[in-house]
Amino acid sequence: MKNKAVVLGANYYIGLSTIRCLGVHDVHVAAVDYAWEGAYGLESKYVSEALIGPHYKEDPEGLVAFLTDYAKQQSETPVLIPTADPYVEFVDAHLVELKKHFLIPQTEQGLYTKIMDKGTLHTLASEHGVAVPETVEVDEENFVQKVNETIQYPCLVKPVDSPSFVSKFRRKLFKVHNEEELLEKVGQAKDADIEVIVQRMIPGFDDHMYTFDAYLNQEAKVTHWMTCQKLRQFPVNYGASVYTQQKHVPELYDLGAKFLEGIGYKGFAEIEFKKDAETGRFYLIEINVRITNLNNLLYKAGLNIPYITYRDLIGEPLEPKAIQEDQNLVFWYAYEDLLAVREYIKTGQLSPSHVFRSYFRPKAHAIWDPKDPKPAVAFGKKLAGLVVGKVTKKN
């Protein structure tokens, strides 16, 4: 195939799985990162070109120039695929310029950012009939009183812009149990110049978290989709998937497809829902507008999202497909799952026997692949370096 694929981000397993999903179909993959150190995805045998460019945040204009210079040298227009939230924000901010030189699913500048923003996302969801948790904005008059009366405790202090919050606090949100904690955490966010909202906690353990994963073509119609159920996440209760199963839930298609098509979305999206343990109602929690953490699970189940994206954009779309039979497959990010399991057991949320029994299932690994082992070796060295660094610091 003449069109190359430019993958933004190789220092996390999402980028790695994206590279592999394209490489297995002999797509020429140019993997881009801002440093060699830690970018274990660049070790994949499926990387045709490993490129080190300017940092997306420190020099975004430089990265635009770097990418456009690369694209101009190609005989066919490359496909551009961001694999991390900061890269999505970068692409969205420079969409007009980048679309002159790259094939990119989205055509409406600002839509990616609007969906990543919790405030505007909830407004969109409400307009399209999708339930969202009750929310209070911290700049509202008498916001503490409103939290006390309409949301109550414990509740969640969540960022409007997740990437900046995670970068600062190394977590996705704050859980607060009283008014004093609420004011403290809102104050911390304000000191960091990060906008937050206060949201009701939807009752239910981590296995009440579900995803609707879908690709929408250039007519903004869902062509490929499946659903998943989280079993464990890290950090526990409010983190990223570390042990998640493919699970067919038709109701999520009814909710998710209608919403994404209604807002004119194009490309891949993953909607996270939480099922209320008391009412059974699904609430939209957030949307990932880049390739999902669960990408290898989708691939093993029968949906190769990066390749579906690539084929759609070069004008050779694959046949529509939905995964509607449970395959007993699970996604496993071993490193963080072991950290999560320790916390689940310590807090009495799961028993050791329950965890032990859960492992006897076919797995889609986050990093390990016997046909492409070098990235896992590089990741192991990275971990070893972190451990040595911590021990040295303590001593």
Side-chain angles (χ1 to χ4, degrees), residues 333-352:
Y333 182 26
Y335 167 59
E336 287 195 347
D337 184 46
L338 295 175
L339 298 175
V341 162
R342 182 177 65 179
E343 189 66 19
Y344 282 119
I345 293 174
K346 181 181 176 182
T347 54
Q349 297 182 64
L350 290 174
S351 67

Side-chain angles (χ1 to χ4, degrees), residues 27-288:
V27 175
H28 181 108
V29 177
V32 179
D33 215 296
Y34 55 82
W36 285 104
E37 185 180 0
Y40 55 87
L42 297 179
E43 300 290 335
S44 172
K45 70 177 185 179
Y46 298 109
V47 172
S48 304
E49 292 178 88
L51 306 174
I52 302 301
H55 194 284
Y56 52 81
K57 193 170 185 177
E58 294 173 2
D59 185 14
E61 299 298 334
L63 182 55
V64 171
F66 176 85
L67 292 172
T68 53
D69 286 347
Y70 177 85
K72 288 175 182 177
Q73 297 171 26
Q74 311 309 315
S75 59
E76 301 290 338
T77 307
V79 174
L80 186 65
I81 303 180
T83 65
D85 288 342
Y87 279 117
V88 171
E89 293 180 326
F90 162 79
V91 170
D92 203 24
H94 302 278
L95 188 63
V96 175
E97 180 63 24
L98 290 171
K99 279 191 78 70
K100 295 175 184 176
H101 307 283
F102 289 93
L103 300 175
I104 302 170
Q106 196 52 255
T107 54
E108 180 188 334
Q109 186 174 27
L111 184 58
Y112 283 151
T113 306
K114 193 183 294 184
I115 290 172
M116 292 171 73
D117 182 295
K118 298 295 189 299
T120 49
L121 170 61
H122 287 185
T123 301
L124 279 174
S126 298
E127 289 173 354
H128 289 82
V130 180
V132 293
E134 292 82 350
T135 302
V136 171
E137 297 184 11
V138 298
D139 56 359
E140 290 182 34
E141 190 176 349
N142 301 322
F143 95 91
V144 173
Q145 182 182 341
K146 290 180 180 178
V147 170
N148 292 339
E149 293 175 354
T150 64
I151 295 181
Q152 302 178 340
Y153 301 97
C155 60
L156 307 175
V157 176
K158 299 179 69 173
V160 167
D161 175 41
S162 290
S164 59
F165 187 93
V166 172
S167 176
K168 173 67 178 178
F169 297 109
R170 298 298 174 191
R171 61 181 67 194
K172 293 179 74 172
L173 50 78
F174 293 131
K175 180 179 178 181
V176 299
H177 299 83
N178 51 52
E179 187 175 313
E180 183 181 355
E181 286 186 8
L182 172 68
L183 292 171
E184 177 192 347
K185 296 304 181 185
V186 169
Q188 285 183 17
K190 284 186 175 179
D191 290 342
D193 198 27
I194 296 174
E195 187 180 352
V196 292
I197 55 177
V198 185
Q199 204 169 78
R200 178 172 78 91
M201 275 181 58
I202 306 301
F205 180 59
D206 290 359
D207 61 3
H208 283 61
M209 292 294 300
Y210 293 81
T211 67
F212 171 68
D213 296 271
Y215 184 82
L216 290 87
N217 64 14
Q218 290 300 288
E219 284 72 52
K221 297 296 180 185
V222 172
T223 57
H224 299 77
W225 66 276
M226 66 179 264
T227 58
C228 305
Q229 179 185 16
K230 286 189 182 184
L231 300 176
R232 296 193 289 272
Q233 48 191 353
F234 184 79
V236 300
N237 307 136
Y238 302 102
S241 298
V242 293
Y243 203 75
T244 296
Q245 66 179 352
Q246 176 265 329
K247 181 76 173 175
H248 180 53
V249 185
E251 186 179 346
L252 297 183
Y253 171 81
D254 298 336
L255 293 169
K258 179 184 176 184
F259 173 68
L260 292 172
E261 291 178 354
I263 63 172
Y265 190 86
K266 299 170 185 175
F268 174 77
E270 177 183 76
I271 305 180
E272 290 194 12
F273 290 94
K274 186 165 187 181
K275 186 177 183 179
D276 190 313
E278 296 171 1
T279 66
R281 189 181 192 189
F282 285 101
Y283 287 83
L284 185 151
I285 303 300
E286 66 178 7
I287 300 183
N288 294 314

Side-chain angles (χ1 to χ4, degrees), residues 3-19:
N3 303 77
K4 296 180 179 180
V6 176
V7 175
L8 299 180
N11 63 0
Y12 196 51
Y13 61 81
I14 300 176
L16 172 61
S17 66
T18 300
I19 291 164

